[in-house]
Structures are given as C-alpha cells and as structure tokens.
Amino acid sequence: MTAADGARKIPYAFSYRVPDEFVRLPEAGTLAGWDEALGRLMPDADEDRLAAAGLQMRRFLPLLSEGGETTVLTAMCAGTEEVDGDERLSMGLLAVSAQASDHDDQLMAAEGIYRAKEQKFFAGEREPRELDYELGKGLQGTQDMLLAVKLPGGPGVMSASLRSLTLPGGDAETPAPVIPFASLQLIVPAPRGYCAYVTIATPSVFLLDSYCMRLAHVGRTFGFDVPAGGDLA
C-alpha cells in the first residue's frame, strides 16, 4: 500500500504490509462499503447487527487519526485467539496516517520523538525498567513501554500504553462503562518532510504481546519511496 498527496501537497510516499487478518474499512464519514467490510469480520451477523456495528465504528474511527493529519488506511481484525488454553475474543483497530515535519534527518527526528515520549510517559516514574530486545532498546513503566527501533525503512519509535476507556452513553443514574484499553503506536520519520504513524487500538489487553507482534510486522515491511529530486518541504 502506498500513500500520496498529503493535505499540504506533500508527496507522501511509503509502502507497508498489514497482517492478513485486518480488513480495510471505509472512511468514517461515508455509508457505502460498511456492510461488505463488517460482513467479512462478522460473517454470522444479521443486517440489524451489521448496521449497529457500522454506526459504532463510524463514531470511533476519528479517534484513531489523532496521530497524523492525513489518514491513509483504517482496518480492523476480529476473532479469537488462545490465551492459557482458553479461546478469548481478539479485536483491534489499525490506522496508518502521515503528518508533515520540518526535519531533514531521520535519526535526529526519531531521537526527538523518543525523548518527547519518554518525558510524557515516564516523568512520574521513579525507576523505569530498561529494555533490550532484538527489535530495539527502551524503557518500561507501570503502564507504558517505549522502544527506539531500527527498521528497514530507517529508525523509528514504538510505544505501547495501557489505559482505561470510558464509553459514551452514561448518565447520572447509570455511569458510562469503563473498559481497559491498549494503544500501540509506531512512528517512522521519512528521510525528510514528514513522519508516518501506525496505530493499533485494542480492548484485548490480555493479547498485548500478540498485537505488539502485529505492529512489529508492519514496521519490518515499512519502506519509503521518495521521488528523485522531490521536494518534501
């Protein structure tokens, strides 16, 4: 998949592959295509259930595009995975986006992103644990993990955070439901001019390792194809 023609006429050009279980979703503001996409994800659902699921998805999808100004892809996976011998529900939303940047050096941009996230995640942590994986090096606190990674497309920053998500619809008598939630993100600076974002959001926090592997899969297939003499500024 390739991105092009960003919101500021920046020639975004990058390629990647997402795991096969993800189904591409239509744009949140459209109605067409939702029955087909959700029918692939929920093959046993009736028309009413598909319509309700489509309505909910269109409400939540804009939350995934916060990482960048231009959303290239939104996709979803749903099914079951084995956890300690039991089959558990697995569901994840994936978004790929891009955002303009004034950098002209990938490594310096990645270092700046890492330091900014390190301050955001661990300012209140006494002693984050140091991590040293084949994928990269970083830190882990009570809720967050941060890695500086070296990818085929260049240096990047990968993070995983555990949070609580309050669902809409509560009132004074019945509080809105609160569910655990995991947000995983990979940021890869282009050679210059913009950064690419890959974000996975999932309520299946017990499958965090599995979704980290999915995000790493996207990162290992990431590459930039900048036109010769192209001006990304």
Side-chain angles (χ1 to χ4, degrees):
M1 299 179 182
T2 301
D5 297 331
R8 290 175 53 191
K9 303 302 181 183
I10 297 171
Y12 297 133
F14 53 89
S15 60
Y16 57 96
R17 293 184 62 187
V18 300
D20 293 338
E21 63 265 32
F22 281 94
V23 174
R24 182 164 191 158
L25 299 177
E27 294 183 7
T30 65
L31 296 176
W34 281 96
D35 286 348
E36 179 182 355
L38 293 176
R40 293 175 58 191
L41 291 164
M42 307 164 60
D44 298 327
D46 57 27
E47 292 184 4
D48 291 340
R49 189 178 177 191
L50 288 176
L55 178 61
Q56 291 295 323
M57 291 295 299
R58 291 195 299 275
R59 292 173 61 187
F60 285 111
L61 275 180
L63 300 178
L64 286 176
S65 62
E66 294 180 355
E69 63 188 21
T70 299
T71 300
V72 178
L73 169 80
T74 54
M76 180 178 180
C77 69
T80 60
E81 293 187 48
E82 185 174 319
V83 181
D84 297 329
D86 294 328
E87 290 291 319
R88 303 287 295 274
L89 176 65
S90 173
M91 182 173 66
L93 287 169
L94 181 148
V96 180
S97 57
Q99 181 167 304
S101 170
D102 60 1
H103 74 271
D104 56 11
D105 183 278
Q106 285 178 288
L107 182 57
M108 290 186 64
E111 288 181 349
I113 293 167
Y114 183 93
R115 296 306 174 194
K117 284 211 166 193
E118 180 183 21
Q119 178 66 23
K120 177 182 177 181
F121 286 165
F122 306 119
E125 296 275 354
R126 287 190 174 183
E127 295 181 3
R129 181 167 66 95
E130 292 191 7
L131 302 174
D132 188 356
Y133 296 138
E134 181 180 353
L135 181 66
K137 297 183 179 182
L139 298 172
Q140 183 171 19
T142 55
Q143 296 188 94
D144 304 292
M145 179 180 72
L146 181 64
L147 288 175
V149 295
K150 184 177 181 180
L151 304 169
V157 178
M158 180 176 173
S159 62
S161 299
L162 296 177
R163 297 290 186 268
S164 294
L165 176 67
T166 301
L167 300 178
D171 53 40
E173 296 182 358
T174 306
V178 178
I179 62 171
F181 204 76
S183 177
L184 295 80
Q185 188 173 69
L186 175 66
I187 306 176
V188 189
R192 58 192 176 98
Y194 68 95
C195 294
Y197 293 74
V198 184
T199 304
I200 296 179
T202 176
S204 306
V205 294
F206 43 83
L207 291 169
L208 186 60
D209 288 347
S210 179
Y211 279 96
C212 283
M213 291 300 296
R214 290 176 168 94
L215 185 62
H217 168 86
V218 179
R220 285 193 292 267
T221 65
F222 219 94
F224 292 99
D225 181 20
V226 180
D231 184 7
L232 303 187

